[in-house]
Amino acid sequence: MKRLTLSLVIVVVSAVIGLGWGIDQWYSQQQPALEDSALNAYKNVGRDLAILIDQQGVQVEWDDWFAFSNLHPQVIPYAEFPLPENLKKNFEQGEALLLESGDQLSLNYYLASQDQVLSLMLPDELRQESSSWINWLLTFLFYAGVILMVLVWLYPLLRRLALLRRTAQEFGAGNLQARIAADKNSYINSIEVEFNRMAQRIEQLIADNKLLSRGLSHDLRTPLARLRFGLDVLGEAELPSMQQQQLAHLNRDLAAMEALVEALLNYARLEQAQIAFRPEAVVIADFVQRLHEEFYREQVELLLAPAALTGYGRVDTEYLAMLLHNLLQNALRYGRGRVRLSVDLVGQELLLAVEDNGPGVAPEERDKVLKPFYRSSHLEAADTRRGHGLGLAIVERIAQWHEAGLILGESETLGGLKVRLVLKLYH
């Protein structure tokens, strides 16, 4: 970032100082050529008048001339007409001196024989015509030059930022080997290097996660299976009542451990599965109806809006089924006997909703329950089977893959939690 800041300061300062000096030099050199014909005419008249007065000795009644002349001529003692040293030489040799003071423009000539200065006031219209357009032009050139130099400086920066954006999108789409080809001359070289380091760490973490899931699959499932076998064998033996009760507790604890390990493995596999995500055009209402008939016909009420019966969505049916199973299992677990699944068409979007008559989720907790392992206090009190807080986290991840909106709210008719999945129509 130091390189970026320093280069920007250098470009701006160089542009302002360099352009200002260059335009000033050009104006100084071109000023005689820029004077219009009217100004030249006044200069010629003034020069002739100065020659008549100075060299020919013509006497002029200045008070009378001042009264009727628009030029308001004046003769000023040279001692009362201070000039910088760099202007005196040319002025004393007879060159006209054009001065602008406030809102007045004057032509001045040196009368050598009288050691005086003839001063003629030029009309305001001439001052505006001779200076306004050139001032506007020079101002435009100055700002245009500054903007051009900044744009030239910005081009390589914008090009590198576009490359960074494309690489980040590619990395987010699942290509974990995507990296930025670092350029030492880049303004954002430090950011590019840090991005590559971050990508490397993320790739390593995901690789470690894969190793962990494989380790869990083998190292935990195998001893759990042995424990299950041993408990089943003990269950067939004739044990005293007290030992039977302890065995039942062990069976419940082991079942909870198996469920937790399975949930962790499912979530870990979900983190790796986006590469295999393959959406296709599907009639959502037909798919939901088949899933309902096969698994939830007796437990869940199904509502299909007529307008949604032909609505296509672009989904991966395997993961959409996983999403629906998680939502419906949660609703059956926390509801009080009524669960509704509905598909509707709203504008250009398909609305898939699951609602129940359970305790619901407080508004301040609706974002939190989408995080892994978070369990709402309301739901925990109503849960007799102790979930693991991964169901809605899996739902939220699959919704992200489908670029679908996930909205948690309160059911208007059942009073419990209502989860809505908003899918774009596929044309």
Side-chain angles (χ1 to χ4, degrees):
M1 293 303 292
K2 290 182 179 179
R3 177 185 296 180
L4 178 65
T5 305
L6 182 60
S7 63
L8 177 60
V9 171
I10 291 175
V11 166
V12 173
V13 171
S14 301
V16 172
I17 295 178
L19 284 172
W21 179 83
I23 291 175
D24 181 69
Q25 291 298 313
W26 176 85
Y27 180 75
S28 298
Q29 295 175 3
Q30 300 296 324
Q31 187 175 10
L34 295 174
E35 294 175 351
D36 58 17
S37 58
L39 181 58
N40 286 329
Y42 277 106
K43 281 189 173 183
N44 293 332
V45 170
R47 184 179 297 107
D48 292 342
L49 179 61
I51 293 173
L52 286 174
I53 296 173
D54 187 34
Q55 298 180 6
Q56 303 299 326
V58 175
Q59 299 297 319
V60 179
E61 295 296 333
W62 295 110
D63 292 339
D64 296 337
W65 196 10
F66 186 87
F68 69 83
S69 175
N70 292 330
L71 297 179
H72 303 297
Q74 289 180 317
V75 174
I76 305 170
Y78 188 42
E80 299 177 5
F81 192 76
L83 283 178
E85 292 297 328
N86 59 333
L87 296 179
K88 280 187 176 182
K89 183 177 179 181
N90 292 336
F91 183 63
E92 291 175 356
Q93 291 178 354
E95 184 175 328
L97 180 62
L98 181 67
L99 296 179
E100 185 173 2
S101 175
D103 58 350
Q104 292 183 341
L105 188 66
S106 64
L107 268 175
N108 302 274
Y109 297 91
Y110 179 59
L111 306 177
S113 63
Q114 304 178 26
D115 196 28
Q116 291 180 324
V117 176
L118 173 63
S119 180
L120 305 176
M121 297 298 173
L122 299 182
D124 291 340
E125 295 79 4
L126 183 62
R127 179 183 62 84
Q128 294 172 358
E129 291 175 1
S130 64
S131 62
S132 61
W133 72 270
I134 192 64
N135 290 338
W136 280 107
L137 175 62
L138 296 179
T139 301
F140 170 77
L141 290 176
F142 175 78
Y143 286 110
V146 172
I147 293 173
L148 180 61
M149 292 188 68
V150 172
L151 289 177
V152 170
W153 174 85
L154 276 177
Y155 174 73
L157 174 63
L158 295 176
R159 187 167 55 85
R160 299 302 296 183
L161 288 175
L163 176 62
L164 177 62
R165 178 179 59 83
R166 289 195 301 269
T167 307
Q169 289 176 340
E170 187 178 353
F171 188 85
N175 182 11
L176 301 182
Q177 286 77 40
R179 299 291 186 275
I180 298 175
D183 183 358
K184 293 182 179 180
N185 297 320
S186 172
Y187 296 137
I188 56 171
N189 176 259
S190 60
I191 297 177
E192 295 169 352
V193 171
E194 289 303 320
F195 176 86
N196 288 339
R197 289 178 182 172
M198 177 196 69
Q200 182 63 37
R201 287 195 293 268
I202 292 175
E203 184 182 8
Q204 186 61 48
L205 286 173
I206 293 178
D208 293 342
N209 186 33
K210 292 179 181 179
L211 290 174
L212 178 61
S213 64
R214 286 196 291 266
L216 283 173
S217 178
H218 180 270
D219 296 339
L220 283 180
R221 279 183 166 179
T222 300
L224 286 176
R226 291 173 183 168
L227 285 172
R228 171 59 62 194
F229 178 75
L231 291 178
D232 290 342
V233 171
L234 285 176
E236 296 176 357
E238 296 183 1
L239 298 176
S241 175
M242 182 62 69
Q243 293 181 356
Q244 290 285 356
Q245 292 179 3
Q246 295 298 327
L247 184 61
H249 288 308
L250 288 175
N251 272 306
R252 285 196 297 270
D253 292 340
L254 183 60
M257 290 179 63
E258 290 173 337
L260 176 58
V261 170
E262 189 64 29
L264 288 171
L265 289 174
N266 286 336
Y267 191 74
R269 282 195 293 267
L270 199 66
E271 293 288 340
Q272 308 164 19
Q274 189 175 0
I275 298 174
F277 180 70
R278 297 183 180 89
E280 56 182 330
V282 175
V283 179
I284 301 295
D286 289 346
F287 176 78
V288 171
Q289 191 170 20
R290 289 196 302 271
L291 184 139
H292 176 264
E293 288 290 329
E294 186 174 354
F295 297 101
Y296 301 102
R297 184 174 183 179
E298 305 297 332
Q299 300 169 290
V300 177
E301 177 185 357
L302 177 64
L303 294 179
L304 298 176
L309 295 178
T310 57
Y312 280 83
R314 191 166 179 80
V315 299
D316 186 311
T317 54
E318 179 183 351
Y319 290 112
L320 182 60
M322 184 185 296
L323 180 148
L324 289 173
H325 282 306
N326 276 280
L327 288 179
L328 292 170
Q329 290 296 332
N330 273 358
L332 290 170
R333 172 178 296 186
Y334 298 111
R336 299 190 178 101
R338 289 195 64 189
V339 176
R340 179 182 295 161
L341 172 61
S342 61
V343 182
D344 199 357
L345 184 65
V346 179
Q348 296 297 312
E349 295 175 329
L350 284 165
L351 183 63
L352 195 153
V354 175
E355 50 192 315
D356 59 61
N357 63 342
V361 176
E364 63 271 13
E365 288 188 305
R366 288 172 186 166
D367 289 334
K368 298 178 182 178
V369 295
L370 298 176
K371 305 300 180 184
F373 306 109
Y374 183 86
R375 302 181 74 251
S376 170
S377 56
H378 296 81
L379 299 182
E380 190 172 358
D383 184 11
T384 58
R385 290 175 287 176
R386 302 291 297 173
H388 306 295
L390 287 173
L392 288 177
I394 292 174
V395 168
E396 198 262 347
R397 182 58 53 87
I398 296 175
Q400 286 181 353
W401 292 355
H402 287 88
E403 296 182 354
L406 187 66
I407 305 171
L408 275 62
E410 182 179 352
S411 173
E412 300 85 355
T413 55
L414 301 184
L417 178 65
K418 182 176 183 179
V419 181
R420 290 176 290 175
L421 183 73
V422 182
L423 294 163
K424 296 177 182 178
L425 280 179
Y426 176 74
H427 299 287

